Amino acid sequence: MVWSLRALPELTDNEFQQWSKLLEDRTGIQIAPHQRAFLQTQIAGRMRELECGDYTSYMKQVREGLQGMVEWSVLVDRLVVKETSFFRHRPSIEYVRRLVQARINNQTLNDSFDVWSVGCATGEEPYALAMVVNDCFELAAIDPYFGVTATDISMPSLHKARAGIYPARKVDQATPQERARYFASAGANLQVVEKIRDRVCFTHGNVLDLGKMPAVPMDVIFCQNVLIYFRRWRRREILNQLVDRLKPNGVLIVGLGEVTDWNHPKMKRVGGEEIQAYQRSAPGTAKSA
């Protein structure tokens, strides 16, 4: 029987625990018992490609040496990549638009406007953020002085993101004006236009190693649909570290309901009920009640 058709054994309880621990130790992502079938399917699929017959041998392979690091990057892409699309959560994106517009109107935009998309997957989120920020600069007829940093743990996803080419269904939630201004035909697909691609810097980054990520202070940190994969204590730990990466009056945006028990002395909730956003206080400003 060819390897692609070979049935591999079920993960034992011990093997499931070992693989779950490895994934959480390296990425922070927690695999719940009901996700056991997903974990087994993804690991077994890769093992068939490598003609590896048991889970213990494959775990040894991903743990050891430089080749193990390469193999882990292949496997983790299958385990952590999430489906996304442009303007997936429009209220959060529009909050960023209003923030930029307000700073331009109030003449408080004295430096580059810097955005960080954490867990950017295949790039739809950071490109959408770049589009709304660019809208504001073009509307005000001023030079587009902004940049978006986009990080993810998946190297293949980052490769796709840099190309900026997507099936049309990924752009369904864009307005006709956004489609016309920011996408060009690429055969059966659409490609983000060059002026937007040039504004986004994609780089590899693990949210568990925030100390190794860009240290540039940010006006906006966008961290949506990332924290849901982590344990509650780790979510709070990540958010506390992200606060230190914000400029005074910078805004941290997370997925609605992703955290329910987090408070920080330097942060206050802003933006209304449709989004979950927090603003860092400026020096000498007391936190609002």
Side-chain angles (χ1 to χ4, degrees):
M1 180 182 293
V2 296
W3 264 97
S4 61
L5 300 178
R6 177 177 291 193
L8 292 174
E10 298 285 319
L11 277 172
T12 66
D13 290 345
N14 185 52
E15 288 168 339
F16 173 70
Q17 291 172 4
Q18 289 178 332
W19 279 102
S20 298
K21 185 177 186 303
L22 181 66
L23 183 63
E24 184 169 4
D25 287 348
R26 291 190 175 185
T27 70
I29 293 174
Q30 180 184 9
I31 292 289
H34 71 270
Q35 296 173 297
R36 182 171 182 155
F38 166 78
L39 181 66
Q40 177 177 308
T41 298
Q42 299 306 315
I43 296 172
R46 180 56 180 165
M47 287 168 57
R48 288 190 188 94
E49 293 173 5
L50 298 173
E51 300 188 359
C52 178
D54 68 273
Y55 297 104
T56 301
S57 296
Y58 183 51
M59 175 171 282
K60 182 178 180 182
Q61 187 172 333
V62 301
R63 282 181 178 274
E64 295 185 352
L66 181 60
Q67 187 57 42
M69 294 174 61
V70 173
E71 179 56 33
W72 173 252
S73 71
V74 174
L75 179 62
V76 79
D77 180 62
R78 304 185 182 194
L79 295 173
V80 306
V81 171
K82 54 189 182 295
E83 178 72 10
T84 186
S85 59
F86 285 87
F87 305 99
R88 179 178 179 180
H89 190 246
R90 177 68 74 165
S92 295
I93 296 284
E94 290 302 320
Y95 183 81
V96 176
R97 184 196 302 275
R98 294 195 299 273
L99 180 66
V100 180
Q101 287 176 334
R103 293 193 181 181
I104 291 175
N105 294 341
N106 297 333
Q107 297 185 339
T108 56
L109 195 61
N110 301 317
D111 199 355
S112 172
F113 191 86
D114 299 297
V115 180
W116 181 6
S117 171
V118 182
C120 67
T122 46
E124 292 89 334
E125 178 181 281
Y127 281 136
L129 289 165
M131 290 170 192
V132 297
V133 176
N134 187 74
D135 281 347
C136 297
F137 279 91
E138 289 192 352
L139 182 65
I142 57 178
D143 291 336
Y145 192 30
F146 73 92
V148 179
T149 299
T151 58
D152 200 88
I153 196 171
S154 168
M155 296 295 285
S157 292
L158 292 170
H159 179 72
K160 293 176 184 177
R162 292 186 184 104
I165 299 174
Y166 302 92
R169 64 178 176 81
K170 294 279 192 173
V171 191
D172 283 347
Q173 297 182 67
T175 66
Q177 294 80 10
E178 288 163 343
R179 289 173 68 106
R181 294 182 65 195
Y182 294 126
F183 296 91
S185 178
N189 299 312
L190 295 172
Q191 183 172 37
V192 177
V193 297
E194 185 176 8
K195 70 177 179 180
I196 294 298
R197 298 201 311 273
D198 288 346
R199 291 288 166 182
V200 183
C201 176
F202 291 98
T203 185
H204 183 259
N206 186 337
V207 75
L208 295 189
D209 294 319
L210 287 172
K212 298 179 181 178
M213 290 192 186
V216 177
M218 296 288 165
D219 292 281
V220 172
I221 298 178
F222 216 84
C223 185
Q224 287 201 321
N225 304 306
V226 175
L227 300 175
I228 55 174
Y229 298 103
F230 301 134
R231 297 183 187 274
R232 290 173 62 185
W233 66 266
R234 199 184 294 276
R235 298 180 198 184
R236 294 192 293 269
E237 186 177 83
I238 291 169
L239 289 173
N240 290 340
Q241 293 181 67
L242 291 176
V243 169
D244 295 332
R245 301 300 187 91
L246 286 169
K247 298 178 185 178
N249 295 318
V251 173
L252 170 62
I253 301 174
V254 301
L256 195 61
E258 280 190 281
V259 288
T260 58
D261 56 354
W262 180 68
N263 289 285
H264 193 284
K266 295 181 180 179
M267 305 294 285
K268 65 178 180 179
R269 181 80 182 260
V270 294
E273 295 183 356
E274 283 191 301
I275 68 171
Q276 190 163 348
Y278 303 85
Q279 186 172 44
R280 179 169 178 165
S281 57
T285 302
K287 180 185 174 183
S288 302

